[in-house]
Amino acid sequence: MKTSIYGLLAEFDTPDALLNAVRQARAAGYRRMDAYTPFPVEHLAEELGFHHSRLPLLVLIGGIVGCAGGYFMQYYAAVIDYPWNVGGRPLNSWPAFIPIAFECTILAAALVAVLGMLALNGLPMPHHPLFNQPRFALASRNRFFLCIEAADGHFDREATERFLSGLKATNLSEVSNE
Amino acid sequence: MSNSTLGSHEPADRLRMEDVRERLANKSGPRFWQSLDELAETPEFMKFLHGEFPDVAAAPSNLDRREFLALVAASLALTGLTACSSTVPEKIVPYVRQPEEAVPGRPLFFASAFSSAGYGAGVLVESHLGRPTKIEGNPEHPASRGSADAFTQASILTLYDPDRSQVITNGGRIATWDAFITSMSTELDGARTRRGEGVRFLTETVTSPTLGDQMRRILAQFPSAKWHRYDPLSRTSGDHAVYHFDKADVIVSLDSDFLLQHPDHLRNARDFTSRRRPATDGGMNRLYVIESTPSITGAMADQRVAARSRDVVQTARQLSVSMGGGSASGPGQDTNQQWLNAVIKDLNAHRGRSVIVPGEYQTQELHAIARDLNMSLGNVGQTVEYTSPVEEDAVDHMQSLAALVDDMRNGRVDMLFVIGGNPVYTAPSDLEFGQSLSRVRLRTHLGLYDDETSELCQWHIPETHFLESWGDIRSFDGTATIQQPLIEPLYGSKSAYEILSAVLGDSTKSPYEIVRDYWQQSNPQGDQFEAWWRKSVHDGVVAESKPRPAAAQSPSRGLPPAAQTEQMPTGLEVVIRPDPCVLDGRFANNAWLQELPKPVTKLTWDNAALISPATAQRLGLATEDVIEIRSEGRSVQAPVWIAPGQANESITLFLGYGRTRAGRIGSNRGYDANRIRTSASPWLLPNVEIRKTGSRYPLASTQHQSSMEDRATVRFATIDQFKENPRFAPEARPEPERSDSLYPEFVSSTDYAWGMAIDLSTCIGCNACTVACQAENNIPVVGKDQVANGRAMHWLRIDRYFHGDIDQPEIFFQPVLCMHCEKAPCEPVCPVGATTHSAEGLNEMTYNRCVGTRYCSNNCPYKVRRFNFLDYAYRDTSPVLSLLRNPNVTVRSRGVMEKCTYCVQRINQARITAKDEDRQIRDGEILTACQATCPADAIVFGNTADPESRVSRLKAESRNYGLLAELNTRPRTTYLAKITNPNPELKQ
Amino acid sequence: MNELPIEPRQTPIIGPGYTYASVTDKISSIVLTKKTPKGWLIGFGISFILTMMLLFAVTYLLVKGVGIWGINIPVGWGFAIINFVWWIGIGHAGTLISAILLLLRQEWRTSINRFAEAMTLFAVSCAGLYPLLHLGRPWFAYWLIPYPNTMDMWPQFRSPLVWDVFAVTTYATVSLLFWYVGLIPDLATLRDRSSTRFGRILYGILAMGWRGSAIHWHRYEVAYLLLAGLATPLVVSVHTVVSFDFAISILPGWHTTIFPPYFVAGAIYSGFAMVMVLTIPIRAAYGLQDFITMRHLQNMAKVMLATGLIVAYGYLMEIFMAWYSASSYEQFVVSNRWTGPYRVAYWALILMNVIIPQTLWFRRVRNSVLGLFLVAMSVNIGMWLERFVIVVTSLHRDFLPSSWGMYYPTVWDWATFAGTIGLFLALLFLFIRFLPMISIFEMRTLVPGTEAK
């Protein structure tokens, strides 16, 4: 019975209402919860207790690897594997190898940034219990949602519902796992 | 075609084919051709022919094109069979300087001689496993001295020309040699009874002792028969003057192009240029030229004057008068007069060391004047020899032809044998040769092509190419050469020897037997003969065959005094000259020569009417305007080409175009200048009107910009200026300091560093190198439209620049090929590494790696790279053409860049030989194709790493400079600045 | 460019009275509507026909070879390279608007960046065609890509053409990522609003299950910002590398250090001009005046004016350097451009690229939609002419007068050019029909009262 519930979904009209709801929920000790908005709302993630992302570091590493790899590829081809006199230039004509090294840097970093973001977000994820709740479709239009998950320690079907309705949610609905 | 023909047989037929093959195999080479019809008679063959071409069996009275082609194919199919009988019973002697035995990939060289306007130039023919691919000059031969001209180089293409006539025809229908012999023998028997009345022979210039002997024997058999001569290139007859320019300090050319349009031009060029280097012992010679149309000889002149053709004669008269004691008529103001005074002074100062050269196509009078002058100057025996003519029974060709036409017109000619040549096209129009010919009952034509003349003859017999048959020929100085065949006749062709032998009653003798018999009789050596014969054939020179010079008669002083005061007609004159590339049209179907830029105009694929800038301005004419030229009721339409250096009020027309039956390449190009020629004055029309037609005709030239734009591409100085500052050339635009480079030097340690030096002082711009390169490197021909679009493929081009006054410009030539730069700009920009540098300094093109970005060409400051924009190499799919290809050079496909390789295949050949013999490659062991053929010895290739090599010594000369060296490309090909030796008294 | 203050008296960047819902509905409806507008059908039809012509021209090219074009020796590069550079240049606006203006906090970019990015992608794909087609043996184009192979050969990395391969592919990839990442939330919107099952599935797959979770949004913004930070140097590098194709050579008129900056400026110039040329009719056709306001057009006009002046400076410097270098070759190139056989192209370029755009100094022109459209059009043509002048006039008369020649484009050159324009428009039409041409979620943030406190 309890297992079939994913969580409770409270619906708000404005980002402010949502923000304030999140604050209270955390004050009430809820942790396993998340907010859903049609556009990025500032401070929301922080209020939910999410602080800094590891993404920038990954991108930096990606960039460095790309740069080194790019240069080495050229060095290997021109100096080690196929050393040949081209226009009387030295085998390792480093100035001519800069542009490609640079492009490789950007390419690697950009790929890491996007793939990293998706990976950390656990995307793609075509199916999610929230999609079982028809009203959730409005999350990509004009409504702001707070979902307290059943997995949360403090979660109690009635108590939580009471708590949420106390937050002036315009609508309150249950999200089932099926 | 042939293969498919053979392939498409049922087993039954194929069995018969085997029989045919067998019979052929059993026949010996030369016999095979005579036995073609024997075969034809055999049931197998008839069956085969029926099965394949029903048309032939039901031989229709008039063939249409399809049938004709089908038959041509049939003959091709049969030629294909000769491949099965490779045995040559006659001994031909390989040139021993080359490996004795044929090693695949190793060419053999055979000595022979190429006939330019009837006079022989010795050649060595490169043969790859029985297939001639390239012609070089024969160093042993006095006329060629190892060099060869553009025509010799291109003649190899004529050998394989798919448009050559391939079958004997009678009234347009395929016939056989025996059929011909049968009908001829009956005819001749009849004629014999009439002592040969009405039997006529028309040949071109004949210097072949054998042919001469045969003719004489024929005339003995047929006392009333006549032998006429007409060679459109025959010079104004009279003196047979052999020049020795190497002995001349002062040379005066009166409208003579002795460096190109002279039967002895190769030797002339070699001798003349031997005195053009500033360091030369005996000092530089000085060349005065007065001429109507700019020629390469005029371009070499130290003092050139452009004058109307008839004014040249006038000048000559003044010259002769004043040399004869009478002072030149005052110091006139016009250049002409100044020039004359200078010439007179110089000649007097160099008696016995000067020479006066009359124009090949100038008047008898001029030749007489020149001869008198040479005598009075004591030049005869020194710089010029007057010998008895080398031509057999020399006659004046134009008179001889006129006489023949007259007889034909009056029905006095019953049988005419046209042995070579194409008189219907080449005869001056006033003779109306064609019409008169039709009044001859029995007409026979022997020719390489089924041309305008064969069209009007009942019998046409395909002529053998000089590489297909035995023969002999004399060079201009009389030296005889025995020509040996390099390959069996590709088609059912016959040589003049066989025709004449047949007339003499022996139709079975092979050319070999004919020629050999003649020599055996003419100089009996007893049992020594075999050795003598072997040596003569091997060397390509018959020892002591040069005739004695005739005793120089005393000057025939005295010109008609009237001549000096005779009123010259004023108004436009038209000068007619053989085209510098296709001559009188004999090379009209040779694509190499058609695409070869004319030396001075750089025109290709067409002839034009050359007009001086001033005259064009006066007449309101622009290049490509079509004008109509009228003279004595005849007219011709020609496109205008404005030519700096052309004499004012003088238009030059060129022969060789406007052909109707030349072949796929040569037909319907340009205009036919013969239409307004007259036999009375074939080379000059003193008074013509011209009319602007208003239409335009596009001309394709390979060079559009004639000025150097002050870019010092050709660096030149007078000998005095040069002595003042010997380093003027390299200093004009110095190479940047090596230390300026961001990169360190690329060091590659090897024994060889290939390089080339080109001497602009001696280069005469004769184009031989361009064609030699084309022949050596399988360079495709692209056609007029592609040339017009700037896509000509020549790896080696000759740039031509005009300098100074547009009416009297100095003309410069500069051969430009890949410079093989040490810092090649083309290499770093290639994205796939298709062009890279070899350790020995070659800029190498890897064809099968090239993807065709053309970036290398864009970045090449010399623009020497050539691109296969379309599938040029395989456009003409005639299988026979593939025989021509040099097996050591890749044929480039579409979309690939190509360029000069310094003949890397020759370098590698020499490297292999050197390795075999465990030694270094010797200096001069490698001759690039262009160097080998150069008559002026202007191109020297070699190892620059060896300070003793010839090229190193040339590069060490103070006038050595790199083209565009200021770009720091470090070219391996460098130039020696052009030094001229003008008369200080005349200001340029 | 951050000298574009948002003054209150200026028209706002979004029309009044919009809510999250209305913004969402208005933009998404363009895509989700069942009936396709007649205008769209006609426009797409025409561009599709042109695309077919491209297909034909390319087929003939592959059969016959590049000889069907006007190129020759000395002019080895013709329309192919001209159009390549032209398209790449146009392809710069998108990433620039999205990335640089994002970093510069130019909010007004929001309503045009999605469209500009799409335009970038299509322009780059048109550009990418040319280097392949202009090869003598295009079937070996892959030899420019480094991969271990049996030939044991590598690309020759000193060649700017290989740099091109890397720069252009990188640019195409990053632009695609940038564009797609920006699309994800809107795809989710379309998924949730699509009325057809097919639509739901299709957009659902593309949206990758985006839920708009606050934490996702957080990472999303970080990634987007990083991408912008990476795309900015990239966008500058791409045209720099393209300019190296010329600058690295030794040809007078090509071998110039000013090329990189002035190519980049020129690229932005033509890019904005193209955005202008495309947005003006589209905003009219779909009644988007409230989202793409005069304010946007004016700002773009100002950017054009600025970059246009940089380009003009580039022209000036070329002339100055020719004089200052005292190189007769360089000086000849200048005089040849002024008076040579291609002088018409040169002076037309000066007129359309330098003189006409100066009218943008006047507010009256900046306020007239038609005026802006015409100026932008002139700039597009002018920039094409610039590439023509650079490529052809430098090549056709280089060092040795003997090898000077002329270049005349053939019908196949023109067919290919028109064909790529058709391809470009066809892709664009498909885009505005099936994807939101304005970033919905970012527009939401512009709705008043969004700022959370």
Side-chain angles (χ1 to χ4, degrees), chain B residues 711 791 799 829 854-855 966, chain C residues 69 76 159 245 329 398 402:
Chain B
R711 292 181 176 192
R791 295 172 180 179
D799 290 348
V829 299
R854 302 179 298 286
Y855 198 173
E966 67 268 29
Chain C
W69 291 345
S159 167
D245 290 348
Y329 303 117
D398 65 343
S402 61

Side-chain angles (χ1 to χ4, degrees), chain B residues 705 711 733 789-791 799 828-831 848 850-855 857-859 863 869 894 964 966, chain C residues 62-63 67 69 71-73 76-77 134 136-137 143 153 156 159 245 249-251 329 332 398-399 401-402:
Chain B
Q705 181 64 15
R711 292 181 176 192
R733 290 185 174 224
N789 196 357
R791 295 172 180 179
D799 290 348
V829 299
C830 175
N848 54 2
C850 177
V851 296
T853 67
R854 302 179 298 286
Y855 198 173
S857 168
N858 289 347
N859 209 29
K863 290 288 174 283
F869 287 94
R894 170 192 132 193
L964 297 179
E966 67 268 29
Chain C
L62 295 180
V63 173
W69 291 345
I71 46 176
N72 54 30
I73 309 293
W77 286 351
H134 101 295
R137 304 198 292 172
W143 284 354
M153 286 283 290
Q156 205 278 104
S159 167
D245 290 348
S249 83
I250 65 171
L251 228 68
Y329 303 117
F332 174 81
D398 65 343
F399 294 98
S402 61

Side-chain angles (χ1 to χ4, degrees), chain B residues 188-232:
Chain B
L188 287 166
D189 293 342
R192 205 172 272 104
T193 57
R194 301 195 310 277
R195 310 185 63 259
E197 193 57 53
V199 179
R200 302 305 174 90
F201 299 86
L202 177 60
T203 68
E204 296 182 293
T205 306
V206 171
T207 62
S208 157
T210 308
L211 270 184
D213 174 65
Q214 284 181 303
M215 280 313 304
R216 280 186 289 276
R217 276 158 54 210
I218 287 173
L219 294 178
Q221 270 193 31
F222 303 86
S224 320
K226 288 216 183 80
W227 175 21
H228 300 273
R229 248 68 57 79
Y230 176 59
D231 189 323

Side-chain angles (χ1 to χ4, degrees), chain C residues 276 280 356 359-360 364-377:
Chain C
M276 191 91 92
I280 285 174
I356 291 180
T359 55
L360 292 176
R364 270 184 57 255
V365 180
R366 290 207 304 280
N367 282 335
S368 129
V369 174
L370 178 67
L372 289 173
F373 182 80
L374 293 177
V375 172
M377 212 50 180

Side-chain angles (χ1 to χ4, degrees), chain B residues 702-711 713 733 786 789-792 797 799-801 814 816 825 827-834 846-855 857-872 893-897 963-964 966-967 969, chain C residues 61-78 80-81 134-141 143-144 149 151 153-162 244-251 254 328-329 332-333 395 397-406 408 410:
Chain B
T702 57
Q703 187 179 340
H704 311 288
Q705 181 64 15
S706 295
S707 119
M708 275 184 260
E709 299 284 322
D710 305 324
R711 292 181 176 192
T713 51
R733 290 185 174 224
Q786 294 293 306
N789 196 357
R791 295 172 180 179
R797 66 173 195 266
D799 290 348
R800 184 265 300 115
Y801 295 106
Q814 181 173 42
V816 178
E827 289 171 9
V829 299
C830 175
V832 292
T846 314
Y847 302 127
N848 54 2
R849 176 67 176 174
C850 177
V851 296
T853 67
R854 302 179 298 286
Y855 198 173
S857 168
N858 289 347
N859 209 29
C860 171
Y862 310 94
K863 290 288 174 283
V864 291
R865 293 179 156 260
R866 298 287 172 257
F867 189 68
N868 292 274
F869 287 94
L870 298 167
D871 189 5
Y872 295 135
S893 72
R894 170 192 132 193
V896 169
M897 191 62 72
L963 185 57
L964 297 179
E966 67 268 29
L967 301 176
T969 52
Chain C
L61 174 76
L62 295 180
V63 173
K64 296 290 288 182
V66 287
I68 66 170
W69 291 345
I71 46 176
N72 54 30
I73 309 293
V75 187
W77 286 351
I81 299 301
H134 101 295
L135 293 181
R137 304 198 292 172
W139 48 93
F140 289 132
W143 284 354
L144 274 77
N149 58 70
M151 297 176 284
M153 286 283 290
W154 292 93
Q156 205 278 104
F157 288 110
R158 296 170 190 83
S159 167
L161 293 184
V162 181
F244 283 164
D245 290 348
F246 307 101
I248 291 297
S249 83
I250 65 171
L251 228 68
W254 282 10
S328 59
Y329 303 117
F332 174 81
V333 167
L395 277 173
R397 290 184 174 176
D398 65 343
F399 294 98
L400 294 185
S402 61
S403 53
W404 289 1
M406 290 294 289
Y408 304 105
T410 66

Side-chain angles (χ1 to χ4, degrees), chain C residues 393-425:
Chain C
T393 59
S394 310
L395 277 173
H396 90 118
R397 290 184 174 176
D398 65 343
F399 294 98
L400 294 185
S402 61
S403 53
W404 289 1
M406 290 294 289
Y407 166 78
Y408 304 105
T410 66
V411 56
W412 296 105
D413 286 299
W414 289 110
T416 319
F417 182 33
T420 44
I421 292 177
L423 175 64
F424 175 75
L425 293 177

